[in-house]
Amino acid sequence: MASNRTGQTPATLDQLVVRCMDCGRDYPGDQAITRCPACGGLLDAIIPLDRTLTPQDFIDPAAVPGLTSGVWRYRALLPTFPNDAIVTRYEGNTPLYWSERLANYAGLTGGRFGAKHEGHNPTGSFKDRGMTVALTHAKAIGASVVACASTGNTSASLASYAATAGIPAIVLIPEGKVSASKLGQTVALGARVVQVEGDFDDALAILRELTVTHNVYLANSVNPYRPEGQKTIVFELLEQLGWRAPDVIALPGGNLGNTAAFGKALSEAYAVGLIDRVPRLVTVQAEGAAPFAAYYDSGFDHYAPVHAETIASAIKIGNPASVERARRSIQTTGGIVTAVPDTDLLDAKAVIDAAGIGAEPASAASLAGVRKLVREGHISADATVVGVLTANILKDTDAIARYHLGDEPGERANRPVRIPAEMAALEKVLDDALHA
Ligand code: F0G
């Protein structure tokens, strides 16, 4: 067998191993398990770390014809699959926008704010990075049907990747609580959509029950392969920084799969010598859906699910499935968990949007949270911060209409002006614009 650039022989599926984060038992990774059969704990995919890697160990996308994915070029730190098994839509390779406007808004007077824009993925959210790995695994092990519960982005991503893999997909969404854009996207991409009379937490609970008794491949982030793909957000942003770690990486927290993945990525990048220090992870929740922030405030002593209420429907989750993996991420990075009110979240979104960048409401939690923590003195004003924008501006146009056009517009609303079809009226608009 030929060696690849990291000197490993190409993997067969029997090299895949998952480990329970609670009891430490190992299991073969060529099956569809998402909980430890012995103790019920969450499972991690095991990546060999007893080696040193350099940036050259990541594949130059141009060097692998047809495989320009911003996920799979980091395969030296991913579970390895044969090239021809990979289910990809050429995800990743997302931009990092340094923005003075966002830095000023956050209060980073001597610092910098970079927006890592995951809305530039094929279906418009970071979920595609996890889904390419999950569907590659699902297809490789012969899954006959894949399923997820979702607040809208996971469902759109699963629909797309399942269609690419040729596997039927079932998605459960909380009825009436998903934006019209995401529901439409998921339906159009061909998944069977089930509207559950309940919230996200109810939907995920019944689906997890179903996957225990039926042969259904669960594609939520409790699946150990999903976070593996999402780790590459961190690898890619570190690479964009020349492998110099920023001071802080901030991200929104809902079901906490991403927080789990980011901590794992940072530990692994540090273990193999790609970075010489680990940045602090900052997870930001919406105040009405902040069980993880409350857990953090208790010194990770007391966890209690909540009934979630927030305008940011993507992160309207009261009992996050990856809470313990996320705790580990915060603890190993000296991180912080905080929560912001919906008004702050929407104002931060308006700032991101008007800076020409744009993102969906949940994504703005990154900026709103950093602003709060700079004010409180937990992040220094001269810090280099990367905030992850998890999805694009068109994911929730209902929220945009409410904020800018609604009966109770937001503080930074940009209301259209209405004029008669007359030149003089238009001249007045021009005059106002020039003198604004
Ligand atoms: N931002 C967006 C845009 C999301 O869609 C989600 C989660 C998050 C942040 C939170 O990420 O769950 O890893 O903490 N959306 C899931 C979904 C729940 O079903 O689309 P997390």
Side-chain angles (χ1 to χ4, degrees):
M1 258 189 217
S3 282
N4 66 19
R5 288 179 61 169
T6 58
Q8 303 162 296
T9 46
T12 57
L13 292 189
D14 46 270
Q15 288 176 325
L16 300 175
V17 177
V18 293
R19 180 169 298 159
C20 175
M21 67 163 285
D22 288 344
C23 72
R25 284 186 180 82
D26 283 354
Y27 300 95
D30 59 353
Q31 48 180 335
I33 51 169
T34 56
R35 272 186 211 274
C36 172
C39 79
L42 292 170
L43 302 166
D44 289 320
I46 296 304
I47 306 297
L49 297 174
D50 51 350
R51 58 201 165 127
T52 303
L53 290 179
T54 70
Q56 285 69 42
D57 287 314
F58 296 120
I59 297 164
D60 170 4
V64 188
L67 199 63
T68 53
S69 162
V71 169
W72 292 102
R73 69 195 163 90
Y74 299 103
R75 78 173 89 168
L77 283 173
L78 298 179
T80 35
F81 294 89
N83 262 2
D84 57 4
I86 290 173
V87 177
T88 180
R89 289 203 53 215
Y90 314 110
E91 49 291 312
N93 297 313
T94 61
L96 176 60
Y97 296 122
W98 293 106
S99 167
E100 231 174 274
R101 274 207 243 180
L102 302 191
N104 288 342
Y105 181 74
L108 293 166
T109 42
R112 298 199 290 166
F113 188 94
K116 176 69 175 157
H117 208 324
E118 288 297 305
H120 287 247
N121 274 292
T123 74
S125 84
F126 73 94
K127 307 287 182 180
D128 296 341
R129 292 194 188 248
M131 227 38 103
T132 181
V133 182
L135 263 291
T136 294
H137 178 249
K139 192 171 178 191
I141 67 170
S144 51
V145 56
V146 294
C148 73
S150 179
T151 56
N153 282 325
T154 302
S155 57
S157 184
L158 179 64
S160 171
Y161 281 78
T164 306
I167 304 174
I170 301 175
V171 309
L172 278 63
I173 59 164
E175 187 176 30
K177 297 176 184 116
V178 168
S179 80
S181 340
K182 294 178 194 173
L183 176 57
Q185 192 184 12
T186 306
V187 170
L189 288 167
R192 175 166 293 272
V193 176
V194 184
Q195 296 190 288
V196 177
E197 295 167 12
D199 57 21
F200 169 86
D201 302 294
D202 300 325
L204 182 57
I206 59 168
L207 180 59
R208 288 188 85 175
E209 224 175 281
L210 182 84
T211 59
V212 173
T213 49
H214 292 69
N215 195 8
V216 174
Y217 187 94
L218 183 63
N220 278 99
S221 54
V222 286
N223 176 322
Y225 292 93
R226 270 275 309 278
E228 290 303 305
Q230 289 166 210
K231 285 185 333 193
T232 65
I233 303 170
V234 168
F235 298 150
E236 199 172 88
L237 77 84
L238 291 172
E239 190 172 46
Q240 286 164 321
L241 290 166
W243 298 101
R244 278 182 301 275
D247 298 308
V248 169
I249 299 176
L251 77 167
N255 212 25
L256 300 176
N258 234 10
T259 302
F262 279 31
K264 191 168 187 283
L266 290 169
S267 302
E268 291 175 356
Y270 182 76
V272 298
L274 285 163
I275 47 173
D276 57 11
R277 70 187 177 102
V278 172
R280 303 175 84 182
L281 271 187
V282 166
T283 297
V284 187
Q285 299 202 289
E287 249 176 31
F292 189 47
Y295 188 29
Y296 172 84
D297 287 340
S298 76
F300 289 124
D301 184 50
H302 179 70
Y303 170 74
V306 302
H307 175 75
E309 269 315 328
T310 168
I311 189 105
S313 57
I315 51 173
K316 190 170 167 182
I317 294 173
N319 190 16
S322 288
V323 71
E324 288 306 316
R325 281 201 298 220
R327 171 186 53 74
R328 184 183 57 186
S329 292
I330 295 298
Q331 287 177 325
T332 56
T333 66
I336 307 176
V337 188
T338 193
V340 292
D342 280 359
T343 45
D344 290 9
L345 219 146
L346 289 176
D347 285 337
K349 171 182 158 51
V351 171
I352 294 165
D353 292 352
I357 295 171
E360 82 155 89
S363 303
S366 303
L367 180 63
V370 170
R371 183 176 203 238
K372 176 181 170 191
L373 293 173
V374 171
R375 276 196 178 155
E376 291 175 354
H378 296 299
I379 295 177
S380 114
D382 62 3
T384 295
V385 177
V386 174
V388 178
L389 301 181
T390 43
N392 78 29
I393 190 171
L394 291 175
K395 284 285 196 172
D396 191 349
T397 47
D398 307 341
I400 296 175
R402 274 195 305 273
Y403 187 90
H404 292 281
L405 314 172
D407 295 337
E408 289 172 39
E411 201 175 295
R412 292 165 185 266
N414 176 22
R415 290 178 89 79
V417 287
R418 190 157 188 259
I419 58 163
E422 286 162 15
M423 171 77 171
L426 189 55
E427 277 174 340
K428 165 94 174 52
V429 174
L430 178 64
D431 200 48
D432 288 350
L434 289 172
H435 296 101

